[in-house]
Amino acid sequence: MPKPFTPKVMTANALLEGDVIYMTATGWTRHLEEAEVLTDEADADLRLIEAQSQPGSVVGAYLAEVTVQDGVPHPTHFREDFRATGPSNYHHGKQAAATEERF
Amino acid sequence: MYHYTEFDADFLAQRNAQFRAQVERRIDGSLTEDEFKPLRLMNGLYLQLHAYMLRVAIPYGTLNSRQMDQLAMIAEKWDKGYGHFTTRQNIQYNWPELRDVPDMLDALAEVNMHAIQTSGNTIRNVTADHFAGAAADEVADPRPVAELIRQWSTDHPEFQFLPRKFKVAVTGAAADRAVIKAHDIGLRIVERDGAIGYEVIVGGGLGRTPMIGKVLYDFVAEEDLLPTLEAIVSVYNLLGRRDNKYKARIKITVHENGIDDIRARVDERYALIRPQFTGVDQQMLARIKADFAAPEFKVGDEAPYRSAYQNDAMFRSWADTNLSAHRAPGYAIVSISLKAHGKTPGDASARQMRLMAALARRYGHDELRISHEQNVILPHVHKSDLPSVFSALRAEGLGTANIGLISDIIACPGMDYCALATARSIPIAQEIATRFDELKLEHDVGPLKIKISGCINACGHHHVGHIGILGLDRAGVENYQITLGGDGTEDAAIGTRAGPGFSADEIIPAVERLVLAYLDLRSEPAETFLQTYRRLGMAPFKAALYPDAETKDRADAA
């Protein structure tokens, strides 16, 4: 019996900055919570093709597993957690960007 | 220092111009990522977890102050104000943006530096003893031959697509500070009947199949070294396993074929190619040796050093751990710790880099070295200047007195930065250092090397740590295995796995139990952790690591 499809988000790195990015319904974001959650396998396959057809802006697109709480995606694996938040040892990357953008 | 010629400068300029065009073509869409990736890797540019990473070679770990200042400038202008010094004597910038990298490479070229062959299946940055040219126990300075190997291997047409990456390390002393037995080729300079030659060791390496290298030749004359190296790499290039990347390193080739078979093949290849080496390489080596002439050492009064040592406990503590014997009277080798308790091993801010450059200029004959243990060395400091050097270092957070102690931890970037990692290394190193600083046991424990890798590739050298820690992913959770008894010196040994791994929450208490057990078990304070382990074996340490298992065993037996 095939494994049931579990929720995913489309993620990649931005070509110019290398930043971790996530696909939304209309483009790309740097914030996981804004990512489009894909719950249908066919939709996810289409999104993957769409992402891979944008080599001029994104690198290494893949589908990452998430769980959804209150409509917001959360990583299921610690690697994706680090990608979403930034490194442990400095307030750099996502953490710094979040501070700059929101405060 | 080796002085770049016009040829060297032109070579770098052309190479950088070529890469600049490749970056432009990637950005305008003319190159796909699949086409661009091998090109960027040839220039040391990776795409990691959060950003690009540029790995810059510091050949045999040698820098002058101008180069260190330039590394600081690059960190500030194009990165986030710091750089990470690695176990292969490179510096990595963790946050460059793609369109800035050509400018970064041009800035490096201004001070004769580059990122060539810091990635890819080719001969990587040649490493050497970080006390080269200064150590009291040195037979000869290993840097001239390391520079010759760098020149020979750079863009060598036969060796750009080897089965896997290939690492060469050189030491000029009997005491191995370059971990030569864990390299694809390790060279030790030896003297026989007054002539300088090389012991050639092949097939060492860490990673998923750790192996200690084997002696291929116990003495190769200086003029025969380069053809010997060429013959070894040629044989590996043909024989190495390209069918399976996990079996592609020369250690597997040596293991599968046997050292005698490899020697016979190298001998055969050597006989064929030896006539091509007409002595030009020896002329080059002579010129390079002249560039590495020792500085003119001064004669000074050591009274300021003696006074500080007697009257300043902090200076004395630092001097006891961070100074090493120099070959010139009145001089010392200073190891600057990049392991302040709780900081990231190997990281230096631009400000710290500038201070170290200034100290080298003022007190250190303009020389700096990067150690494979992720520290910075001032190789030539007169003892009279040491109090001033220490005072300046302390003011910038660089005065930690912990070289060779429990907090002087090698840690790879781990999953905080590296796309290959399976767990984090940095927080574990930070927590161990902080914990033992709190316990105030560090100096009582004495020499102890902890090395942490965030994946099986073992960039953190965990296999040769007295205590090795390997971070893995166990069912979606970070898990840390401990190995004991590893040694990266001339008595090289691969550590033995102690048992099941520990979670991130459990690993620090486990290391603490291990070290407290050692304090109880040692025969006298002078017996090091490694000596105690070698005397008693795994059992008492395992009991300390897994006290519940011991209880369970007893309960089961009852």
Side-chain angles (χ1 to χ4, degrees), chain B residues 506-524:
Chain B
E506 294 168 340
I507 184 68
I508 312 302
V511 171
E512 186 177 328
R513 289 197 300 278
L514 197 55
V515 175
L516 293 177
Y518 151 69
L519 292 175
D520 284 342
L521 292 165
R522 66 185 178 186
S523 60
E524 53 173 337

PDB file of all heavy atoms in Angstrom, chain B residues 506-524:
ATOM      1  N   GLU B 506      22.238  14.835  26.768  1.00  0.00           N
ATOM      2  CA  GLU B 506      23.002  13.876  27.584  1.00  0.00           C
ATOM      3  C   GLU B 506      24.505  13.952  27.375  1.00  0.00           C
ATOM      4  O   GLU B 506      25.270  13.452  28.202  1.00  0.00           O
ATOM      5  CB  GLU B 506      22.549  12.447  27.252  1.00  0.00           C
ATOM      6  CG  GLU B 506      21.131  12.116  27.629  1.00  0.00           C
ATOM      7  CD  GLU B 506      20.664  10.801  27.006  1.00  0.00           C
ATOM      8  OE1 GLU B 506      21.282  10.354  26.001  1.00  0.00           O
ATOM      9  OE2 GLU B 506      19.695  10.233  27.509  1.00  0.00           O
ATOM     10  N   ILE B 507      24.942  14.541  26.256  1.00  0.00           N
ATOM     11  CA  ILE B 507      26.351  14.402  25.888  1.00  0.00           C
ATOM     12  C   ILE B 507      27.281  15.178  26.832  1.00  0.00           C
ATOM     13  O   ILE B 507      28.368  14.699  27.174  1.00  0.00           O
ATOM     14  CB  ILE B 507      26.580  14.777  24.392  1.00  0.00           C
ATOM     15  CG1 ILE B 507      28.037  14.530  23.977  1.00  0.00           C
ATOM     16  CG2 ILE B 507      26.194  16.203  24.080  1.00  0.00           C
ATOM     17  CD1 ILE B 507      28.447  13.095  23.941  1.00  0.00           C
ATOM     18  N   ILE B 508      26.877  16.348  27.281  1.00  0.00           N
ATOM     19  CA  ILE B 508      27.766  17.127  28.161  1.00  0.00           C
ATOM     20  C   ILE B 508      27.939  16.401  29.515  1.00  0.00           C
ATOM     21  O   ILE B 508      29.077  16.198  29.966  1.00  0.00           O
ATOM     22  CB  ILE B 508      27.259  18.572  28.365  1.00  0.00           C
ATOM     23  CG1 ILE B 508      26.887  19.221  27.029  1.00  0.00           C
ATOM     24  CG2 ILE B 508      28.278  19.411  29.150  1.00  0.00           C
ATOM     25  CD1 ILE B 508      27.985  19.283  25.992  1.00  0.00           C
ATOM     26  N   PRO B 509      26.837  15.985  30.167  1.00  0.00           N
ATOM     27  CA  PRO B 509      27.024  15.205  31.406  1.00  0.00           C
ATOM     28  C   PRO B 509      27.854  13.932  31.177  1.00  0.00           C
ATOM     29  O   PRO B 509      28.620  13.535  32.053  1.00  0.00           O
ATOM     30  CB  PRO B 509      25.592  14.857  31.823  1.00  0.00           C
ATOM     31  CG  PRO B 509      24.737  15.907  31.198  1.00  0.00           C
ATOM     32  CD  PRO B 509      25.409  16.270  29.925  1.00  0.00           C
ATOM     33  N   ALA B 510      27.703  13.309  30.011  1.00  0.00           N
ATOM     34  CA  ALA B 510      28.478  12.084  29.735  1.00  0.00           C
ATOM     35  C   ALA B 510      29.975  12.397  29.687  1.00  0.00           C
ATOM     36  O   ALA B 510      30.793  11.678  30.276  1.00  0.00           O
ATOM     37  CB  ALA B 510      28.017  11.465  28.421  1.00  0.00           C
ATOM     38  N   VAL B 511      30.329  13.488  29.019  1.00  0.00           N
ATOM     39  CA  VAL B 511      31.746  13.878  28.954  1.00  0.00           C
ATOM     40  C   VAL B 511      32.252  14.230  30.351  1.00  0.00           C
ATOM     41  O   VAL B 511      33.373  13.879  30.732  1.00  0.00           O
ATOM     42  CB  VAL B 511      31.945  15.059  27.962  1.00  0.00           C
ATOM     43  CG1 VAL B 511      33.362  15.612  28.047  1.00  0.00           C
ATOM     44  CG2 VAL B 511      31.629  14.617  26.541  1.00  0.00           C
ATOM     45  N   GLU B 512      31.402  14.874  31.122  1.00  0.00           N
ATOM     46  CA  GLU B 512      31.798  15.237  32.498  1.00  0.00           C
ATOM     47  C   GLU B 512      32.060  13.974  33.320  1.00  0.00           C
ATOM     48  O   GLU B 512      33.079  13.890  34.027  1.00  0.00           O
ATOM     49  CB  GLU B 512      30.695  16.088  33.130  1.00  0.00           C
ATOM     50  CG  GLU B 512      31.087  16.631  34.490  1.00  0.00           C
ATOM     51  CD  GLU B 512      29.999  17.548  35.069  1.00  0.00           C
ATOM     52  OE1 GLU B 512      29.308  18.219  34.283  1.00  0.00           O
ATOM     53  OE2 GLU B 512      29.856  17.558  36.297  1.00  0.00           O
ATOM     54  N   ARG B 513      31.193  12.987  33.200  1.00  0.00           N
ATOM     55  CA  ARG B 513      31.403  11.732  33.954  1.00  0.00           C
ATOM     56  C   ARG B 513      32.715  11.068  33.547  1.00  0.00           C
ATOM     57  O   ARG B 513      33.464  10.559  34.373  1.00  0.00           O
ATOM     58  CB  ARG B 513      30.239  10.757  33.697  1.00  0.00           C
ATOM     59  CG  ARG B 513      28.936  11.149  34.331  1.00  0.00           C
ATOM     60  CD  ARG B 513      27.964   9.958  34.405  1.00  0.00           C
ATOM     61  NE  ARG B 513      27.634   9.384  33.107  1.00  0.00           N
ATOM     62  CZ  ARG B 513      26.700   9.880  32.286  1.00  0.00           C
ATOM     63  NH1 ARG B 513      26.028  10.968  32.614  1.00  0.00           N
ATOM     64  NH2 ARG B 513      26.445   9.281  31.135  1.00  0.00           N
ATOM     65  N   LEU B 514      32.962  11.126  32.251  1.00  0.00           N
ATOM     66  CA  LEU B 514      34.177  10.516  31.696  1.00  0.00           C
ATOM     67  C   LEU B 514      35.431  11.170  32.283  1.00  0.00           C
ATOM     68  O   LEU B 514      36.377  10.499  32.709  1.00  0.00           O
ATOM     69  CB  LEU B 514      34.134  10.730  30.180  1.00  0.00           C
ATOM     70  CG  LEU B 514      34.996   9.929  29.247  1.00  0.00           C
ATOM     71  CD1 LEU B 514      34.787   8.448  29.442  1.00  0.00           C
ATOM     72  CD2 LEU B 514      34.665  10.336  27.811  1.00  0.00           C
ATOM     73  N   VAL B 515      35.419  12.485  32.316  1.00  0.00           N
ATOM     74  CA  VAL B 515      36.605  13.213  32.766  1.00  0.00           C
ATOM     75  C   VAL B 515      36.766  13.093  34.278  1.00  0.00           C
ATOM     76  O   VAL B 515      37.889  12.932  34.783  1.00  0.00           O
ATOM     77  CB  VAL B 515      36.518  14.692  32.306  1.00  0.00           C
ATOM     78  CG1 VAL B 515      37.685  15.489  32.874  1.00  0.00           C
ATOM     79  CG2 VAL B 515      36.523  14.767  30.787  1.00  0.00           C
ATOM     80  N   LEU B 516      35.665  13.109  35.010  1.00  0.00           N
ATOM     81  CA  LEU B 516      35.754  12.923  36.459  1.00  0.00           C
ATOM     82  C   LEU B 516      36.257  11.509  36.784  1.00  0.00           C
ATOM     83  O   LEU B 516      37.044  11.314  37.725  1.00  0.00           O
ATOM     84  CB  LEU B 516      34.399  13.177  37.117  1.00  0.00           C
ATOM     85  CG  LEU B 516      33.901  14.627  37.046  1.00  0.00           C
ATOM     86  CD1 LEU B 516      32.508  14.757  37.680  1.00  0.00           C
ATOM     87  CD2 LEU B 516      34.871  15.596  37.712  1.00  0.00           C
ATOM     88  N   ALA B 517      35.853  10.547  35.958  1.00  0.00           N
ATOM     89  CA  ALA B 517      36.353   9.177  36.155  1.00  0.00           C
ATOM     90  C   ALA B 517      37.864   9.136  35.941  1.00  0.00           C
ATOM     91  O   ALA B 517      38.597   8.510  36.720  1.00  0.00           O
ATOM     92  CB  ALA B 517      35.653   8.223  35.192  1.00  0.00           C
ATOM     93  N   TYR B 518      38.318   9.839  34.920  1.00  0.00           N
ATOM     94  CA  TYR B 518      39.769   9.892  34.671  1.00  0.00           C
ATOM     95  C   TYR B 518      40.511  10.460  35.886  1.00  0.00           C
ATOM     96  O   TYR B 518      41.549   9.913  36.303  1.00  0.00           O
ATOM     97  CB  TYR B 518      40.055  10.725  33.418  1.00  0.00           C
ATOM     98  CG  TYR B 518      41.399  11.406  33.439  1.00  0.00           C
ATOM     99  CD1 TYR B 518      42.581  10.669  33.343  1.00  0.00           C
ATOM    100  CD2 TYR B 518      41.496  12.789  33.576  1.00  0.00           C
ATOM    101  CE1 TYR B 518      43.822  11.295  33.396  1.00  0.00           C
ATOM    102  CE2 TYR B 518      42.725  13.419  33.630  1.00  0.00           C
ATOM    103  CZ  TYR B 518      43.885  12.672  33.537  1.00  0.00           C
ATOM    104  OH  TYR B 518      45.101  13.290  33.602  1.00  0.00           O
ATOM    105  N   LEU B 519      39.961  11.522  36.480  1.00  0.00           N
ATOM    106  CA  LEU B 519      40.630  12.131  37.638  1.00  0.00           C
ATOM    107  C   LEU B 519      40.744  11.128  38.791  1.00  0.00           C
ATOM    108  O   LEU B 519      41.722  11.134  39.540  1.00  0.00           O
ATOM    109  CB  LEU B 519      39.878  13.392  38.092  1.00  0.00           C
ATOM    110  CG  LEU B 519      39.934  14.577  37.112  1.00  0.00           C
ATOM    111  CD1 LEU B 519      39.061  15.719  37.614  1.00  0.00           C
ATOM    112  CD2 LEU B 519      41.357  15.050  36.889  1.00  0.00           C
ATOM    113  N   ASP B 520      39.754  10.251  38.911  1.00  0.00           N
ATOM    114  CA  ASP B 520      39.821   9.211  39.946  1.00  0.00           C
ATOM    115  C   ASP B 520      40.774   8.082  39.566  1.00  0.00           C
ATOM    116  O   ASP B 520      41.383   7.468  40.443  1.00  0.00           O
ATOM    117  CB  ASP B 520      38.422   8.597  40.162  1.00  0.00           C
ATOM    118  CG  ASP B 520      37.525   9.527  40.965  1.00  0.00           C
ATOM    119  OD1 ASP B 520      38.074  10.444  41.622  1.00  0.00           O
ATOM    120  OD2 ASP B 520      36.309   9.357  40.908  1.00  0.00           O
ATOM    121  N   LEU B 521      40.863   7.817  38.287  1.00  0.00           N
ATOM    122  CA  LEU B 521      41.601   6.638  37.820  1.00  0.00           C
ATOM    123  C   LEU B 521      43.090   6.874  37.604  1.00  0.00           C
ATOM    124  O   LEU B 521      43.885   5.923  37.645  1.00  0.00           O
ATOM    125  CB  LEU B 521      41.003   6.151  36.480  1.00  0.00           C
ATOM    126  CG  LEU B 521      39.591   5.568  36.528  1.00  0.00           C
ATOM    127  CD1 LEU B 521      38.999   5.489  35.117  1.00  0.00           C
ATOM    128  CD2 LEU B 521      39.624   4.182  37.152  1.00  0.00           C
ATOM    129  N   ARG B 522      43.486   8.124  37.370  1.00  0.00           N
ATOM    130  CA  ARG B 522      44.892   8.346  37.006  1.00  0.00           C
ATOM    131  C   ARG B 522      45.811   7.981  38.165  1.00  0.00           C
ATOM    132  O   ARG B 522      45.466   8.183  39.341  1.00  0.00           O
ATOM    133  CB  ARG B 522      45.102   9.785  36.529  1.00  0.00           C
ATOM    134  CG  ARG B 522      44.910  10.856  37.583  1.00  0.00           C
ATOM    135  CD  ARG B 522      45.041  12.238  36.936  1.00  0.00           C
ATOM    136  NE  ARG B 522      44.811  13.310  37.898  1.00  0.00           N
ATOM    137  CZ  ARG B 522      44.758  14.595  37.573  1.00  0.00           C
ATOM    138  NH1 ARG B 522      44.885  14.974  36.301  1.00  0.00           N
ATOM    139  NH2 ARG B 522      44.559  15.522  38.487  1.00  0.00           N
ATOM    140  N   SER B 523      46.974   7.476  37.816  1.00  0.00           N
ATOM    141  CA  SER B 523      47.894   6.996  38.842  1.00  0.00           C
ATOM    142  C   SER B 523      48.568   8.141  39.572  1.00  0.00           C
ATOM    143  O   SER B 523      48.966   8.012  40.718  1.00  0.00           O
ATOM    144  CB  SER B 523      48.942   6.081  38.211  1.00  0.00           C
ATOM    145  OG  SER B 523      49.663   6.803  37.226  1.00  0.00           O
ATOM    146  N   GLU B 524      48.709   9.252  38.873  1.00  0.00           N
ATOM    147  CA  GLU B 524      49.306  10.457  39.460  1.00  0.00           C
ATOM    148  C   GLU B 524      48.856  11.646  38.605  1.00  0.00           C
ATOM    149  O   GLU B 524      48.441  11.452  37.466  1.00  0.00           O
ATOM    150  CB  GLU B 524      50.830  10.359  39.459  1.00  0.00           C
ATOM    151  CG  GLU B 524      51.382  10.045  38.075  1.00  0.00           C
ATOM    152  CD  GLU B 524      52.891  10.116  38.017  1.00  0.00           C
ATOM    153  OE1 GLU B 524      53.484  10.802  38.864  1.00  0.00           O
ATOM    154  OE2 GLU B 524      53.454   9.515  37.102  1.00  0.00           O
TER     155      GLU B 524
END
